[in-house]
Amino acid sequence: MQLAGLITSVGLVTLQTEARAQDQVIIASTGGAYDRALKEAWFDPFTEATGIAVTIISATNAEMRAKAAAMVKAGNVTWDLYLEGEIQSASEAHKQVTEDLSAFCERFSSRKDLAGNACTSGGALLQSTATLLAYRVSENMTVEPQGWADMWETDQFPGGRAFPNFDDPWRVLAAALLADGVARDELFPLDVDRALAKLDQIRDSVTVWWKTGDQSVQGFRSGEYDLGQIWLTRARAMKNEGLPIAWSYRQAFLVGDRVALLKGAPNREAALKLIAFWLENPSVQARACDVLSCTPPSTDAIALMSEETRSSMPTAEEVRSTIIIPDADWINANAAMLLQRWNTWVQ
């Protein structure tokens, strides 16, 4: 009996140890400063509060989408969550690989501080930010770039250029059209032929075709480019490092990230707890967006952010008159065509 009791006791300890080892969430994100900000503001406090570890897998957006689709199709899912763009999270392809969170979102429907789209079937809103024109500030700079047309002004603003090169090229095409004189309210549907013709004019000056936000940071830090189309979150991270960078909100594209739950996630319940922890804690959102200069889903979180960060966010007038909200329906409906045209051109 004593031996049996010992075996039972050892078995119980083993099971408890295994259970603790399985208390984790695996989330795919885009790496670098972005992940560090999320880890310090969100993941570490979550682990401290719950005992659930968070493991980050770094990948490009294209790699995340391809890997998520492959895992779900094979029935061998090893991630729980991944970050997806606001536009792509409304696509049919996204719905095929992620769990519908509508039922989960009901608990947040009465929260007056949360944006109406803070939690939807495609995932929870992580933050809203901008894709914009960023540039290196120099002592002899007498005038600063304002809009996408200035990217093409290589005499007035010398130096290398940077554009993203991944599987949603709409923002590069849209910038080219705006630089070519297309009005913001006539931008969609995108005139792809005209956009590519405009890009032909600057192609030789593009020194960085970045595939990850971290790559856009490294390219600026090493001096590979001086003007580029990058995410505000990355530009702000570089400014926090003390790098000589500034940006313009004129003709910026309003974008955002959602955190989505994969179908068949191995740690589903823990993953849902991590999402809930984000939505339920404005202070967590505020700490992350203070670093990244993003807009959190909670207005209470905005109130907790530093005055410096809030003053650097686009004004209501800038949102009304200059910032562009992309046509998500058109982009998703034409995603395959856009990618095919882009890949043929960029090679």
Side-chain angles (χ1 to χ4, degrees):
M1 291 294 293
Q2 290 179 337
L3 179 60
L6 177 61
I7 293 173
T8 301
S9 177
V10 170
L12 179 59
V13 170
T14 300
L15 288 173
Q16 289 173 338
T17 302
E18 289 177 351
R20 284 196 296 272
Q22 292 169 1
D23 280 347
Q24 65 171 331
V25 178
I26 300 174
I27 182 169
S29 183
T30 53
Y34 193 76
D35 286 5
R36 288 194 295 273
L38 295 182
K39 182 179 185 299
E40 292 174 7
W42 179 19
F43 303 154
D44 288 350
F46 171 77
T47 299
E48 184 177 352
T50 65
I52 300 172
V54 179
T55 299
I56 308 171
I57 305 293
S58 295
T60 68
N61 295 92
E63 288 169 345
M64 280 191 277
R65 293 179 192 122
K67 178 72 171 178
M71 287 191 296
V72 172
K73 183 177 181 179
N76 183 25
V77 179
T78 57
W79 297 353
D80 300 300
L81 304 168
Y82 75 106
L83 303 192
E84 181 59 286
E86 176 77 2
I87 292 173
Q88 290 77 17
S89 69
S91 69
E92 189 58 37
H94 181 79
K95 295 175 184 177
Q96 290 175 3
V97 300
T98 59
E99 187 172 327
D100 186 333
L101 293 186
S102 297
F104 167 80
C105 291
E106 288 179 5
R107 73 179 77 174
F108 304 103
S109 60
S110 61
R111 283 271 301 280
K112 294 182 179 180
D113 66 302
L114 289 176
N117 66 341
C119 195
T120 66
S121 60
L125 183 62
L126 192 57
Q127 48 85 12
S128 297
T129 186
T131 298
L132 42 63
L133 172 63
Y135 53 91
R136 189 179 305 276
V137 178
S138 62
E139 292 181 359
N140 59 356
M141 181 176 282
T142 57
V143 61
E144 298 185 3
Q146 293 297 311
W148 297 117
D150 289 332
M151 282 277 279
W152 273 254
E153 295 292 339
T154 54
D155 290 334
Q156 185 176 15
F157 302 105
R161 267 54 175 167
F163 279 112
N165 176 23
F166 39 79
D167 61 348
D168 60 338
W170 65 267
R171 69 196 75 202
V172 184
L173 301 172
L177 291 171
L178 291 164
D180 204 38
V182 175
R184 67 194 285 263
D185 58 352
E186 298 176 359
L187 189 56
F188 291 94
L190 299 178
D191 184 336
V192 178
D193 290 332
R194 182 174 174 179
L196 294 177
K198 184 67 174 176
L199 285 165
D200 283 335
Q201 300 172 12
I202 199 176
R203 183 170 189 157
D204 291 343
S205 296
V206 179
T207 52
V208 177
W209 294 101
W210 56 270
K211 291 183 177 295
T212 68
D214 201 41
Q215 189 180 2
S216 73
V217 171
Q218 296 298 340
F220 187 88
R221 185 184 289 122
S222 64
E224 290 182 77
Y225 73 92
D226 295 286
L227 285 84
Q229 184 185 82
I230 66 174
W231 296 317
L232 171 60
T233 51
R234 299 294 178 160
R236 177 59 187 271
M238 286 191 274
K239 190 167 186 177
N240 289 344
E241 289 181 24
L243 295 174
I245 191 169
W247 51 84
S248 171
Y249 284 118
R250 183 176 295 277
Q251 298 179 329
F253 304 110
L254 185 65
V255 293
D257 279 341
R258 288 193 177 273
V259 55
L261 177 67
L262 280 158
K263 289 181 177 177
N267 306 290
R268 178 182 181 275
E269 294 308 314
L272 290 175
K273 289 178 181 178
L274 180 62
I275 297 174
F277 191 82
W278 174 260
L279 293 175
E280 291 170 352
N281 289 279
S283 62
V284 170
Q285 299 174 30
R287 282 197 295 273
C289 282
D290 248 339
V291 174
L292 298 170
S293 200
C294 56
T295 302
S298 169
T299 54
D300 289 350
I302 295 174
L304 294 172
M305 291 164 65
S306 69
E307 178 60 33
E308 179 185 2
T309 300
R310 283 188 280 126
S311 65
S312 72
M313 295 166 67
T315 65
E317 177 56 30
E318 285 174 320
V319 172
R320 283 193 300 270
S321 62
T322 68
I323 289 180
I324 295 160
I325 300 175
D327 186 337
D329 290 340
W330 187 89
I331 292 170
N332 283 327
N334 293 275
M337 178 274 291
L338 291 173
L339 185 57
Q340 186 275 324
R341 295 293 306 277
W342 175 256
N343 285 339
T344 299
W345 180 85
V346 81
Q347 288 176 356

